[in-house]
């Protein structure tokens, strides 16, 4: 379960200012549960943890086994909400070095999340000598970046395995009935998984969008779903005790008091893509109509040596949210008779202890430097924690979006660059 400690914001804002927002949080909670708020037709993720489709889940697990048996590499093609959640899970639960350390699961590479020719060429060259499968993921089925990458990988698959072999190695996750990818997949006979109509991209990690690549990477997706289910139960509380309310109220109160940027900070490097996923979730959900906290992230302690100066002492626009985990790391500092490095004062201390001290020290320093701090703690890093964190952030984001007066489920601003790009490239109709 995710716990929010908001005591680190009270040097900057009164408890009254925060808890006055509980009426708004309550209204927002009702809008999410009833699906009657703006964009409510995309609030299907709210009840997702309690209505797992077991048939679909078994099909995902079977497909993941097929991928593992036939392939030493899985190419995940998708952008935004169609890949960040899977990458976040694989890095958090296996390792950012998944491809180096995980010997009993395929190497996972990601494509279709940019338009760089050199990146795509590197991925194609990598896959060329390997036995690979492709999971192409696009809810709309029309997004340019994954469509471009898919065309190249499809061609490579056909060249290597022939049309029939390629068909066996392509798994398409897309809308049930709309879009070019659905048409193509049905026409070619690829195995397909449907993204539920009422769940938008950045809220879709607990559907086949995230679950198939995560399962193929050897991660127990049933435990992830269990974590999300338990978190949903915990967040059914409709009072100030609800940890998602507290997080959403703290963010909104600070935003209204003039803070403009929220930094998500973690002391575990494997959290990096979870932070990328979080940035999309909050940025696309809240950044509209000239409003919204700008979501940024740092990876400590590394970034204390690059961004630490600004956070401590730069313009006071920031609030900081720490995500902390209980560490199961058993590494203990060895003693050294000569003590030339002067580290003997740490002898026998575990690295997790030292890292925890760094977190406490950083939080204390940043509060002193004028940065309101929130801490979200979750227990050890494991599948259940991941599921819980995903659901917690999604729920808090929905609450906060409604409290901020926006539709947290659309992203109209994303179309602007696309129109320009299509015009510049001469796409018919632009
Ligand atoms: O949250 C969203 O809906 C978007 O950010 C999408 O995830 C992203 O644009 C990819 O879209 P699609 O899955 O349709 O290719």
């Amino acid at each position: 379960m995710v716990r929010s400690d908001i005591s680190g914001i009270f040097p900057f804002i009164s408890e009254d200012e925060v808890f006055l927002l509980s009426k708004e949080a309550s209204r927002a909670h009702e809008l999410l549960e009833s699906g009657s708020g703006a964009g409510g037709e995309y609030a299907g993720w709210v009840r997702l943890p309690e209505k797992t489709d077991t048939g679909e889940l078994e099909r995902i697990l079977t497909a993941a086994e097929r991928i593992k048996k036939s392939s030493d590499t899985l190419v995940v093609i998708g952008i935004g909400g169609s890949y960040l959640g899977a990458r976040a899970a694989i890095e958090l639960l296996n390792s950012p070095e998944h491809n180096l350390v995980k010997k009993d699961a395929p190497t996972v590479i990601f494509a279709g999340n940019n338009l760089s020719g050199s990146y795509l060429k590197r991925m194609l060259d990598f896959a060329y000598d390997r036995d690979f499968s492709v999971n192409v993921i696009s809810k709309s089925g029309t997004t340019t970046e994954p469509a471009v990458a898919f065309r190249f990988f499809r061609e490579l698959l056909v060249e290597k395995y022939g049309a029939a072999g390629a068909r066996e190695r392509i798994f398409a996750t897309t809308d049930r009935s709309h879009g070019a990818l659905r048409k193509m997949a049905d026409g070619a006979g690829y195995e397909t998984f449907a993204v539920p109509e009422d769940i938008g991209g950045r809220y879709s990690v607990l559907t086949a969008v995230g679950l198939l690549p995560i399962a193929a990477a050897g991660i127990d997706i049933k435990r992830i779903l269990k974590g999300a289910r338990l978190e949903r139960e915990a967040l059914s509380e409709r009072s100030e005790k609800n940890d998602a309310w507290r997080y959403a109220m703290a963010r909104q109160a600070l935003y209204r008091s003039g803070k403009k940027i929220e930094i998500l900070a973690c002391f575990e490097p494997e959290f990096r893509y979870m932070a990328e996923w979080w940035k999309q979730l909050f940025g696309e959900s809240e950044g509209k109509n000239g409003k919204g906290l700008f979501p940024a992230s740092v990876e400590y302690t590394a970034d204390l040596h690059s961004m630490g100066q600004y956070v401590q002492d730069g313009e006071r626009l920031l609030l900081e949210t720490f995500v902390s985990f209980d560490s199961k790391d058993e590494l203990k500092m060895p003693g050294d008779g000569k003590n030339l490095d002067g580290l003997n004062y740490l002898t026998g201390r575990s690295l997790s202890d030292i890292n925890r001290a760094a977190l406490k020290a950083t939080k204390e320093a940043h509060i002193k430097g004028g940065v309101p701090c929130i801490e979200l703690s979750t227990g050890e890093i494991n599948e259940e924690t991941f599921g819980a964190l995903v659901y917690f952030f999604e729920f808090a984001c929905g609450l906060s979006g409604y409290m901020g007066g926006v539709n947290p489920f659309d992203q109209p601003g994303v179309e602007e660059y696309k129109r320009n790009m299509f015009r510049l490239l001469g796409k018919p109709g632009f």
Side-chain angles (χ1 to χ4, degrees), residues 20-145:
L20 257 179
L21 299 187
S22 61
K23 272 206 187 99
E24 287 184 32
S26 171
R27 252 196 316 273
H29 194 140
E30 179 51 29
L31 291 178
L32 286 179
E33 290 293 342
S34 62
S36 58
E41 64 277 23
Y42 292 109
W45 57 271
V46 172
R47 293 176 197 281
L48 189 63
E50 74 207 22
K51 52 170 212 189
T52 305
D53 174 344
T54 45
E56 172 87 341
L57 190 59
E58 287 315 313
R59 224 159 56 75
I60 291 173
L61 289 167
T62 307
E65 281 314 306
R66 253 180 70 204
I67 292 170
K68 283 193 210 162
K69 280 212 182 84
S70 68
S71 307
D72 57 32
T73 297
L74 172 65
V75 184
V76 178
I77 298 179
I79 194 165
S82 286
Y83 94 105
L84 284 168
R87 188 158 189 174
I90 293 168
E91 295 215 355
L92 186 72
L93 300 172
N94 283 348
S95 149
E97 290 80 33
H98 163 89
N99 293 340
L100 296 178
V101 301
K102 192 84 181 157
K103 301 291 175 218
D104 54 350
T107 293
V108 181
I109 61 172
F110 294 89
N113 54 58
N114 58 64
L115 285 170
S116 158
S118 55
Y119 179 90
L120 184 55
K121 173 125 187 7
R122 281 201 303 281
M123 296 304 113
L124 287 161
D125 287 348
F126 180 84
Y128 187 82
D129 295 323
R130 323 262 310 201
D131 263 329
F132 72 97
S133 292
V134 167
N135 182 197
V136 54
I137 310 166
S138 175
K139 183 176 183 197
S140 62
T142 55
T143 308
T144 309
E145 289 89 338

Side-chain angles (χ1 to χ4, degrees), residues 401-415:
Y402 280 147
M403 291 167 76
V406 298
N407 172 352
F409 305 119
D410 66 358
Q411 55 285 331
V414 183
E415 296 310 310

